[in-house]
Amino acid sequence: MAPAEGPYLLLLAAALLGASASSEWPPPEPVFLPVEMELQAVPEHYRLQRADGALPANTSLHARSDTFLLLPRRPTAGPSPLLRASYPPFSTHKEVPTKSPTWAIRAVPLDSAVSPDEPTARVLFHLHGPDWRGRRDPPGDHPLPCVVLQAQQRSRTVRGSCRVQAPLGICLVELEIPARWFSPAPSPESAELRYGVAGLGTCGRPGATVEPPRYLGMLELRTAPAVARQQEVQLDERVLLRVPDGALRPGQRFTASLALRHNFTATLLTLRVKAKKGLQVVAARSGDPAWTVHLERSRGPKHWTAVVTCRRSRDIHGSTRALEASELLHLELAVENGTGGQAPARPLTWQVEYPGQDPEAQKDKLVWEVQVSERDMRVLVPLVQELELLNTSPLTGVPRTVPVTLVTVEVGGAVSELSEPPGCESADTQVLQVSEGCDAVFVGGKESRGARGVRVDFWARRLHASLLFTVWAPLLPLRVQLGDTALEQVRGWRLPGNTDSSSSDVEDPGEDAERRARSCRPQYQRTAVRFLAHFVAHPQDGGRHLSYLPGPEWLLDVTHLVAGWARVQDPRVASLEGGTVLVGREPGVTSVEVRSPLSDAILGEQMLVVSEEKVAVTELRAAVVAGLALALHPEPGHPGVLTAVCQATATLHGSKQEATLSVWLSFSDGTLAPMELYGGQDAVLAVTSLDPTVATVVGTSSWHPRVVAEGPGRGALLQLSLQPLDVCRRGRHRAAVLAAGSAWLEVAGGRRTPPSSPRSPVPFPRAEGAMSGEAVTAGRGERGDVGLVNTKLQGMGSSSEEEEEREEGYGRGMQEEEKEEMVKAPARVSDLEIGMYVLLGVFCLAIFIFLVNCVFFVLRYQQKEPPDAGSAPAASQPHNWVWLGTDQEELSRQLDRRQPEPPTLPGPQPERCCCGDPPAPDVGSPSGTSAEPRKEGSVPGGSRRKRVEFVTFAPQRAPEDPPQPTPNVQSILVAGEDDIRWVCEDMGLRDPEELRCYMERIRGSS
């Protein structure tokens, strides 16, 4: 049985597969409430769609769910965002929830460490968002926020505060760290900095209430005094000059040092210094006891000149110079007072001379500029409203810009905007660029990628600052999403084409109407178009791990950005209306593509097929909309992501309350489309009430009919039908209704039995001139599921010359076309029917496998034939004989009759049944022993019993030739001739002569 196990296992697997397939529910149909949702008071937002194309679980004919990305992803200082949902004539709105503070504040620490000499920690705060100025009410009502800064070390806390001031929206907190916090520990300690917005009326008070503070960073507490920053300049290969790195104020003194490298061997050195007016050399002192210093000064009309002579007084034996340069001379200089009108940069010229110096280097002079300012500027701070930028320039061709404002902070805490021209540079121009005036960073569309942590440097008067930006760039190609990639002609639905100006000259109105009917063109399906894209940022370290906005499972809908650059490659096949709706024109294959506004590159493409095949509108699914309810849910784990669910109210609760209908078209090819997709002028949507005491319909042929409640009741009370325009159904046999159905309506306050059962077929009005017995199939509606609507739609575009030539045969082929259009559309298959079909298929598969198994079984045993006797003459094959008869002795005598055998020819010989005797088995061998006779029961009504004896003869052994024994045979009653013939055929008696001989012997013995 091993060979038969495979088919049984296959049968079991097929049964399990069929059971699992029948237990799965079909995916939800892509229907939704076509309500418009719009975000207000948001600088930038995008609709999101899941990358796997999965529909939201709460989307249905009565509800719609949309997910939005709000940018910037942190709250701005403007009014709270608002989401508005509308489906005429109903609308509702709701404020977007936010868990963040009202004011968006950015903190910029100016000091990373403090010391006992300079124990003040300074932090600059400024407001985010371009609209914070609009939040300022009249003075005294709601002032700008107050920010509180606190430093905490162990259990000790100190606080400082400031109020944000206009026009820059900034303030500075100077927090003095107590002296007891500085401990002479081997390693410096640190304090934690946090900040928050103080409550109204509590700014500057010791017990001010602060919102949950936000972490800012750690502040290092150093015990050693701070060392002034210095800049090192090389005068030549052996002499160095060290000068202060920073701006100086009028009246301030500073020190410049001269240092010698270890390879300096001269005993004499002369330093010449020429200072421009406003600077002077005050004194010079030696930095090494082995050297003496002499200073000579002279003043000219525009310059101060100083000559310093340095001599080595003695050699220090036994000592070696350090590898680092040692300071030889300290030169004190001063900035004169009363220099307000002079230039801020004042040059100092340095020249050094000593024996053994290179003659070329002796002529070189170093010019070092001293920056002088009336203000003691310590820190340069670039202010921006956003550090995150969405690069949509490759899609729109419009640059995206982030303004930059540079401010300086003075020693006394004064903050002012930089008035001098700064310098700036972007670390990666392939991601982000900076303007020449350093007042903005931007992306222009030529950038190749996005990135995280792109650095932009700024500098002014030896003050440096930098910003780190995150730039998100679209991942190309774009994903072009079509609701249906194959558009087909809608059966029975035609649109009027443009007529020429000669139509006004036609005198016969009948001929004019007939001509206009012939000019109608077929209506093709329509589908919605969406353009989607991932926005990604590359890591700065060159890795391949991309960051996605807001995550890899989301795609951003950029349809509103690229709709102006989208087009159909062949406008004769299809057209793109409003950048969002594809309309089929004539059969063919084309593609929808998006062109780059900056080049001829294709940003995204999708193939579209317009087919000659026809589909029918099988049903209209309608839902009653009596109101809208809106719910907003922030997406956990994704800041700035919001999900909005709009639910339609389907029940009317009072008399004279009005409602409208939302209608979807269901086609025979399984696609669905909202009625809004087909405009409002190309068909007629009719709505009637089956029970005027419950509800009446106002505007029965309008695009959005109004349903008015009259009394309590419920049921499929609204009958709907979709019809083509009258001008395009002039034929007598043309179908009057494209689809029909009913919509469920419920008016609270009681129950009434509807005139027609909601499960019964819904009648529909018949077209004028329709023949008797002509039927149009109407879809059946269940509660909240089905319905039909009536509206006028107007065709777009004129028919081409080829279409006009095809329409010339309109009158001749009208009857054939009308018969074709009257073919009943296939009904929808229910879930139960699908399950039954699957089960039937499994049973058929099981039967097929069983038959295959039987065939294999038969073939297996038919192939086991006895070997050929002629191949081994010494060992003849045994035979199974069936003897029939009534007398054992007579049969034995017949078998004993030996007839001469013909000469044996080489090769296999045919077996003989009657005319030839078979070889006798050896009596003494076990195989020659005959089996016990198997007896048959007596035949009813017969005087003699029929018996059958099966005798097996063993093959003859080669070494000896014993006499042939007589088999022990019991005679039985001979049956009919047909039975005997059947037995002989099984024994291999095919020759007629052999068969006749055998039959005669049997008859003679009986």
Side-chain angles (χ1 to χ4, degrees):
M1 294 300 293
E5 291 180 359
Y8 287 117
L9 293 177
L10 184 60
L11 175 61
L12 178 60
L16 293 177
L17 179 62
S20 62
S22 60
S23 63
E24 294 180 357
W25 290 98
E29 294 178 334
V31 295
F32 56 87
L33 180 67
V35 61
E36 290 291 335
M37 286 192 278
E38 180 185 4
L39 273 168
Q40 299 177 353
V42 178
E44 189 176 7
H45 69 276
Y46 295 87
R47 277 186 170 86
L48 296 180
Q49 178 174 311
R50 293 210 170 261
D52 56 2
L55 294 174
N58 49 7
T59 297
S60 66
L61 196 62
H62 297 83
R64 177 171 185 171
S65 177
D66 273 345
T67 303
F68 298 91
L69 173 64
L70 281 64
L71 295 176
R73 292 187 286 176
R74 47 109 189 107
T76 61
S80 299
L82 194 69
L83 192 141
R84 182 178 299 276
S86 61
Y87 189 78
F90 305 103
S91 65
T92 183
H93 64 274
K94 196 169 187 179
E95 187 173 329
V96 175
T98 176
K99 297 181 180 179
S100 301
T102 305
W103 295 96
I105 297 177
R106 177 174 172 237
V108 182
L110 305 181
D111 299 295
S112 59
V114 292
S115 63
D117 296 340
E118 295 184 359
T120 303
R122 294 164 297 177
V123 178
L124 181 70
F125 297 95
H126 73 95
L127 295 178
H128 264 300
D131 54 351
W132 67 267
R133 294 176 178 85
R135 294 291 306 276
R136 295 180 58 211
D137 295 330
D141 293 344
H142 298 285
L144 294 176
C146 176
V147 185
V148 177
L149 174 68
Q150 65 180 23
Q152 186 174 1
Q153 185 198 39
R154 302 188 183 96
S155 60
R156 299 173 292 190
T157 303
V158 292
R159 290 188 177 185
S161 62
C162 69
R163 184 175 296 280
V164 178
Q165 301 292 330
L168 296 178
I170 60 177
C171 72
L172 179 69
V173 175
E174 294 184 333
L175 190 63
E176 184 175 354
I177 304 300
R180 63 179 181 274
W181 287 24
F182 299 94
S183 59
S187 59
E189 297 187 1
S190 59
E192 184 181 76
L193 298 179
R194 292 180 176 271
Y195 70 99
V197 177
L200 295 177
T202 60
C203 186
R205 297 182 182 180
T209 59
V210 184
E211 65 182 12
R214 285 168 279 179
Y215 177 77
L216 177 59
M218 302 300 294
L219 178 67
E220 185 179 354
L221 305 179
R222 298 176 179 174
T223 55
V227 180
R229 295 180 302 174
Q230 286 189 334
Q231 181 181 7
E232 193 173 82
V233 183
Q234 182 172 325
L235 294 179
D236 68 358
E237 59 182 7
R238 300 178 182 179
V239 182
L240 300 177
L241 178 65
R242 294 170 180 169
V243 291
D245 185 12
L248 303 175
R249 300 183 64 185
Q252 181 180 355
R253 291 192 175 191
F254 64 95
T255 301
S257 301
L258 198 67
L260 304 178
R261 295 185 182 273
H262 65 281
N263 59 353
F264 186 85
T265 58
T267 59
L268 177 65
L269 184 143
T270 302
L271 178 64
R272 304 180 186 275
V273 181
K274 184 169 65 174
K276 193 175 181 179
K277 186 177 180 181
L279 295 175
Q280 61 174 326
V281 179
V282 178
R285 66 179 187 274
S286 175
D288 189 342
W291 290 82
T292 59
V293 176
H294 177 69
L295 173 63
E296 295 180 358
R297 298 184 302 169
S298 62
R299 182 172 184 177
K302 295 184 178 179
H303 299 86
W304 273 93
T305 303
V307 179
V308 182
T309 304
C310 302
R311 295 179 182 272
R312 181 179 294 176
S313 59
R314 63 182 186 276
D315 292 333
I316 303 177
H317 300 284
S319 64
T320 59
R321 290 185 179 270
L323 295 179
E324 296 182 358
S326 59
E327 292 186 352
L328 166 69
L329 174 66
H330 297 290
L331 196 64
E332 294 186 5
L333 298 93
V335 180
E336 297 179 355
N337 291 321
T339 58
Q342 299 182 9
R346 301 172 190 179
L348 275 172
T349 304
W350 305 79
Q351 184 179 10
V352 63
E353 300 175 0
Y354 56 88
Q357 186 181 14
D358 186 1
E360 296 296 332
Q362 188 175 2
K363 300 178 182 179
D364 293 341
K365 297 180 181 180
L366 173 68
V367 179
W368 176 69
E369 291 184 345
V370 177
Q371 300 292 334
V372 180
S373 175
E374 296 289 341
R375 300 173 298 173
D376 188 5
M377 296 183 297
R378 294 295 182 90
V379 181
L380 177 68
V381 181
L383 304 180
V384 292
Q385 301 299 335
E386 187 58 50
L387 293 174
E388 190 176 39
L389 182 61
L390 196 67
N391 186 5
T392 59
S393 299
L395 308 179
T396 62
V398 180
R400 299 292 303 273
T401 304
V402 177
V404 179
T405 302
L406 295 175
V407 298
T408 58
V409 181
E410 301 179 14
V411 175
V415 181
S416 59
E417 190 171 355
L418 182 66
S419 57
E420 302 172 7
C424 55
E425 183 182 12
S426 174
D428 192 348
T429 56
Q430 295 298 320
V431 178
L432 187 64
Q433 304 182 54
V434 61
S435 63
E436 294 183 0
C438 303
D439 57 351
V441 294
F442 67 94
V443 287
K446 298 295 185 180
E447 295 77 17
S448 59
R449 59 189 178 90
R452 280 182 174 271
V454 183
R455 191 182 77 254
V456 179
D457 298 317
F458 302 89
W459 60 85
R461 293 193 181 184
R462 297 191 177 89
L463 300 178
H464 294 79
S466 62
L467 290 175
L468 298 179
F469 290 87
T470 297
V471 180
W472 303 98
L475 189 62
L476 300 177
L478 300 178
R479 182 180 299 185
V480 182
Q481 184 184 66
L482 304 181
D484 187 6
T485 57
L487 305 182
E488 299 173 342
Q489 182 179 343
V490 183
R491 190 185 307 276
W493 193 349
R494 304 181 67 84
L495 304 178
N498 292 339
T499 58
D500 52 19
S501 58
S502 61
S503 61
S504 58
D505 301 333
V506 179
E507 298 180 358
D508 189 355
E511 295 180 1
D512 182 34
E514 190 68 23
R515 186 188 59 80
R516 285 188 284 112
R518 286 196 301 269
S519 67
C520 290
R521 55 186 174 86
Q523 168 75 288
Y524 287 88
Q525 288 178 305
R526 302 185 179 190
T527 185
V529 186
R530 297 181 71 182
F531 303 98
L532 310 171
H534 276 300
F535 278 79
V536 299
H538 293 74
Q540 280 296 98
D541 57 1
R544 296 184 178 181
H545 181 69
L546 300 179
S547 300
Y548 291 80
L549 177 74
E553 68 275 17
W554 295 107
L555 287 165
L556 274 68
D557 188 347
V558 294
T559 305
H560 62 288
L561 299 179
V562 302
W565 305 100
R567 68 182 184 90
V568 179
Q569 188 177 23
D570 190 353
R572 297 174 301 175
V573 177
S575 62
L576 191 61
E577 296 183 356
T580 59
V581 179
L582 267 176
V583 181
R585 294 297 182 187
E586 64 179 36
V589 179
T590 184
S591 63
V592 183
E593 58 186 22
V594 179
R595 291 279 182 175
S596 171
L598 304 174
S599 64
D600 293 334
I602 297 178
L603 303 181
E605 188 177 14
Q606 176 63 49
M607 182 175 293
L608 174 69
V609 177
V610 180
S611 174
E612 294 181 349
E613 298 182 2
K614 295 184 179 181
V615 295
V617 184
T618 57
E619 63 177 342
L620 297 177
R621 305 187 182 185
V624 175
V625 180
L628 299 177
L630 191 60
L632 306 180
H633 309 283
E635 191 75 17
H638 295 288
V641 178
L642 177 74
T643 299
V645 180
C646 186
Q647 187 81 23
T649 304
T651 304
L652 286 76
H653 295 278
S655 178
K656 301 304 180 181
Q657 182 182 355
E658 295 186 359
T660 187
L661 292 175
S662 169
V663 185
W664 280 70
L665 304 180
S666 177
F667 295 96
S668 57
D669 61 350
T671 59
L672 298 163
M675 282 289 295
E676 286 79 3
L677 204 62
Y678 287 83
Q681 303 296 328
D682 289 347
V684 178
L685 177 66
V687 182
T688 57
S689 175
L690 300 181
D691 191 351
T693 61
V694 177
T696 57
V697 180
V698 179
T700 56
S701 296
S702 63
W703 179 238
H704 283 290
R706 292 183 298 159
V707 180
V708 182
E710 302 293 345
R714 55 184 295 179
L717 303 178
L718 298 179
Q719 177 183 341
L720 308 97
S721 62
L722 182 67
Q723 305 170 2
L725 298 178
D726 293 339
V727 68
C728 293
R729 50 188 179 100
R730 296 287 297 175
R732 188 175 52 161
H733 302 287
R734 185 168 300 276
V737 176
L738 297 174
S742 62
W744 184 273
L745 176 65
E746 181 177 358
V747 180
R751 295 186 179 180
R752 295 175 60 91
T753 304
S756 61
S757 172
R759 299 184 179 273
S760 61
V762 179
F764 55 90
R766 212 176 272 276
E768 295 182 6
M771 294 181 60
S772 172
E774 190 177 350
V776 178
T777 303
R780 282 185 286 185
E782 297 181 1
R783 177 174 182 179
D785 183 64
V786 213
L788 297 177
V789 186
N790 208 331
T791 314
K792 284 205 159 191
L793 319 159
Q794 176 156 357
M796 293 149 293
S798 59
S799 57
S800 60
E801 295 179 0
E802 293 81 5
E803 291 175 342
E804 293 178 358
E805 293 176 2
R806 290 195 300 266
E807 292 296 341
E808 290 179 357
Y810 176 82
R812 296 188 301 269
M814 180 177 294
Q815 294 183 356
E816 290 78 2
E817 183 181 356
E818 289 165 353
K819 291 180 181 179
E820 181 185 3
E821 292 178 352
M822 288 302 296
V823 177
K824 183 177 179 180
R828 292 188 62 195
V829 182
S830 64
D831 297 339
L832 179 60
E833 291 174 335
I834 293 176
M836 295 298 295
Y837 292 152
V838 171
L839 191 59
L840 181 60
V842 172
F843 286 155
C844 294
L845 181 61
I847 295 172
F848 174 74
I849 295 174
F850 176 75
L851 294 176
V852 171
N853 190 19
C854 292
V855 171
F856 277 109
F857 184 83
V858 171
L859 294 177
R860 174 188 175 189
Y861 286 96
Q862 277 190 353
Q863 292 175 358
K864 293 185 177 181
E865 297 178 352
D868 194 356
S871 61
S876 60
Q877 299 298 326
H879 302 279
N880 294 332
W881 298 86
V882 180
W883 303 100
L884 305 176
T886 57
D887 192 310
Q888 177 179 358
E889 290 75 15
E890 291 292 329
L891 182 59
S892 299
R893 286 194 300 269
Q894 294 292 337
L895 294 174
D896 290 338
R897 295 174 183 175
R898 308 283 300 204
Q899 295 185 8
E901 297 181 358
T904 304
L905 299 177
Q909 299 296 325
E911 298 178 359
R912 294 182 177 272
C913 177
C914 306
C915 301
D917 298 329
D922 190 0
V923 177
S925 64
S927 60
T929 307
S930 61
E932 292 296 329
R934 180 178 177 181
K935 299 181 179 180
E936 299 288 342
S938 59
V939 180
S943 59
R944 305 177 65 182
R945 295 186 302 171
K946 295 182 181 181
R947 293 185 300 273
V948 179
E949 176 73 20
F950 295 90
V951 181
T952 302
F953 301 93
Q956 182 179 359
R957 290 189 295 181
E960 50 187 350
D961 189 12
Q964 301 294 336
T966 301
N968 183 17
V969 180
Q970 297 181 4
S971 60
I972 61 175
L973 180 64
V974 177
E977 183 177 348
D978 295 335
D979 296 335
I980 298 175
R981 186 185 301 273
W982 171 78
V983 171
C984 291
E985 289 178 355
D986 286 348
M987 296 172 60
L989 298 179
R990 303 295 183 182
D991 187 77
E993 184 65 22
E994 293 178 349
L995 182 62
R996 185 185 60 80
C997 179
Y998 182 80
M999 293 296 295
E1000 290 177 357
R1001 290 190 178 188
I1002 293 302
R1003 292 191 184 95
S1005 63
S1006 60

